[in-house]
Amino acid sequence: MILPTQQSTPLLQGPAILNENGLKAHVACQDFSFFYNDNQAVKSVTLDFPSYQVTAIIGPSGCGKSTLLRSINRMNDLIPGSRTSGKLLFDGQEIYGPRLDVVTLRRRIGMVFQKPNPFPKSIFNNVAYGRRLHDTQNQEELRSIVETSLRRAGLWDEVKDRLDDNALSLSGGQQQRLCIARALAVDPEILLMDEPTSALDPRATARIEDLIAELRGRYTIIIVTHNMQQAARVSDFTAFLYEGNLIEYGQTAQIFTKPREKQTEDYMTGRFG
């Protein structure tokens, strides 16, 4: 495991990496592996995540989906015995480079988790928290950032008159959209979503899926989901992982209608998983 040093460098714009569709790869895995001690959870994956598109990562439980996702903003760093090999690039710069500024990385690559995790603070302070931490103390500017973020998360009209209420008073679906607003408030370029609707009811799930559609083109979104129908609805590209291996990757329509690999077809048709 490589931890940031005091002489960390800012993230720079590296050479553009284009995928087979001619789209710039915001994140690129090149023979990337991730280990928990001797357990190789991600196995030599080579995969590009195109800029400002929605990419879904699908596969059965334990196939390495979340491990790969969390590697992109180094959320796995504090797990004892974890290590990587190969390359994982963000705008051409190595994410696991020894001098990379992890704080800057996590500002530019936001994360939304499986279960809503609002802070036990007011709705306003939940959204403002990251900007206060990074660079913004001006209250007028914070109010503007909070409103913009809540609007982008589709929550403003529901909470604009109760911004001082505790965020824990919101429903589960509202809490998840609040967590999305909190991630958007620091103005990231990439939004990682790890099973963001698995703890929500169908109505709240539909709201989150509509929100992903609205955010498409403004952010690069990478979503891990166990729900294949959801992947088909929300994503432009899909990657299928099995036992840590990348089995197939391509445009979502192709993956779901004409998969090239028999394993993909078997998974799609419910023969395993």
Side-chain angles (χ1 to χ4, degrees), residues 229-259:
Q229 289 76 26
Q230 180 174 79
R233 287 192 296 265
V234 305
S235 67
D236 303 294
F237 295 87
T238 296
F240 170 48
L241 268 62
Y242 181 64
E243 295 184 344
N245 295 294
L246 176 64
I247 304 301
E248 188 166 352
Y249 167 72
Q251 294 189 14
T252 295
Q254 173 263 310
I255 292 285
F256 279 86
T257 59
K258 295 181 180 179

Side-chain angles (χ1 to χ4, degrees), residues 18 55 64 98 161 207 242:
L18 302 181
T55 302
D161 297 322
R207 293 294 301 274
Y242 181 64

Side-chain angles (χ1 to χ4, degrees), residues 124-190:
F124 182 93
N125 285 330
N126 262 268
V127 181
Y129 180 83
R131 287 307 290 261
R132 282 199 181 109
L133 193 65
H134 284 291
D135 60 7
T136 306
Q137 299 295 326
N138 181 278
Q139 197 66 16
E140 189 65 31
E141 186 178 353
L142 280 173
R143 279 196 290 268
S144 176
I145 290 168
V146 168
E147 179 176 347
T148 298
S149 302
L150 288 169
R151 286 188 183 279
R152 288 181 180 172
L155 191 58
W156 174 252
D157 289 339
E158 297 170 46
V159 302
K160 62 184 178 182
D161 297 322
R162 45 185 301 206
L163 295 178
D164 292 330
D165 289 2
N166 193 305
L168 299 178
S169 66
L170 298 174
S171 69
Q174 289 174 322
Q175 287 185 18
Q176 191 65 303
R177 282 183 284 146
L178 178 69
C179 292
I180 293 172
R182 188 174 66 196
L184 298 180
V186 297
D187 199 23
E189 299 164 42
I190 297 175

Side-chain angles (χ1 to χ4, degrees), residues 30-269:
Q30 296 178 354
D31 199 28
F32 178 76
S33 296
F34 192 95
F35 300 82
Y36 299 108
N37 295 310
D38 294 330
N39 175 34
Q40 187 174 2
V42 176
K43 301 176 181 177
S44 300
V45 167
T46 295
L47 171 64
D48 296 339
F49 296 97
S51 299
Y52 307 111
Q53 306 287 307
V54 180
T55 302
I57 306 174
I58 64 171
S61 297
C63 71
K65 304 186 299 293
S66 292
T67 296
L68 178 59
L69 187 81
R70 290 166 180 253
S71 297
I72 295 171
N73 70 345
R74 293 183 55 168
M75 290 296 292
N76 296 322
D77 272 15
L78 298 180
I79 299 175
S82 64
R83 59 189 174 88
T84 68
S85 67
K87 290 184 178 181
L88 186 57
L89 306 175
F90 171 43
D91 279 346
Q93 184 172 355
E94 289 194 40
I95 289 173
Y96 283 85
R99 299 181 63 207
L100 179 130
D101 185 346
V102 178
V103 173
T104 302
L105 176 77
R106 290 178 183 154
R107 174 170 180 171
R108 292 176 64 183
I109 304 178
M111 183 95 188
V112 177
F113 297 93
Q114 182 174 2
K115 293 183 179 180
N117 60 340
F119 303 137
K121 302 174 179 286
S122 70
I123 294 169
F124 182 93
N125 285 330
N126 262 268
V127 181
Y129 180 83
R131 287 307 290 261
R132 282 199 181 109
L133 193 65
H134 284 291
D135 60 7
T136 306
Q137 299 295 326
N138 181 278
Q139 197 66 16
E140 189 65 31
E141 186 178 353
L142 280 173
R143 279 196 290 268
S144 176
I145 290 168
V146 168
E147 179 176 347
T148 298
S149 302
L150 288 169
R151 286 188 183 279
R152 288 181 180 172
L155 191 58
W156 174 252
D157 289 339
E158 297 170 46
V159 302
K160 62 184 178 182
D161 297 322
R162 45 185 301 206
L163 295 178
D164 292 330
D165 289 2
N166 193 305
L168 299 178
S169 66
L170 298 174
S171 69
Q174 289 174 322
Q175 287 185 18
Q176 191 65 303
R177 282 183 284 146
L178 178 69
C179 292
I180 293 172
R182 188 174 66 196
L184 298 180
V186 297
D187 199 23
E189 299 164 42
I190 297 175
L191 192 60
L192 309 178
M193 309 182 87
D194 192 1
E195 303 267 18
T197 64
S198 64
L200 304 181
D201 61 45
R203 179 175 294 182
T205 293
R207 293 294 301 274
I208 297 293
E209 290 184 4
D210 289 344
L211 174 58
I212 292 171
E214 292 168 12
L215 296 176
R216 174 188 279 110
R218 187 187 293 268
Y219 304 93
T220 299
I221 298 174
I222 306 172
I223 177 172
V224 162
T225 178
H226 68 282
N227 185 327
M228 288 187 290
Q229 289 76 26
Q230 180 174 79
R233 287 192 296 265
V234 305
S235 67
D236 303 294
F237 295 87
T238 296
F240 170 48
L241 268 62
Y242 181 64
E243 295 184 344
N245 295 294
L246 176 64
I247 304 301
E248 188 166 352
Y249 167 72
Q251 294 189 14
T252 295
Q254 173 263 310
I255 292 285
F256 279 86
T257 59
K258 295 181 180 179
R260 293 185 292 266
E261 302 294 332
K262 187 176 186 304
Q263 270 185 300
T264 309
E265 182 179 355
D266 288 348
Y267 181 69
M268 297 294 182
T269 55

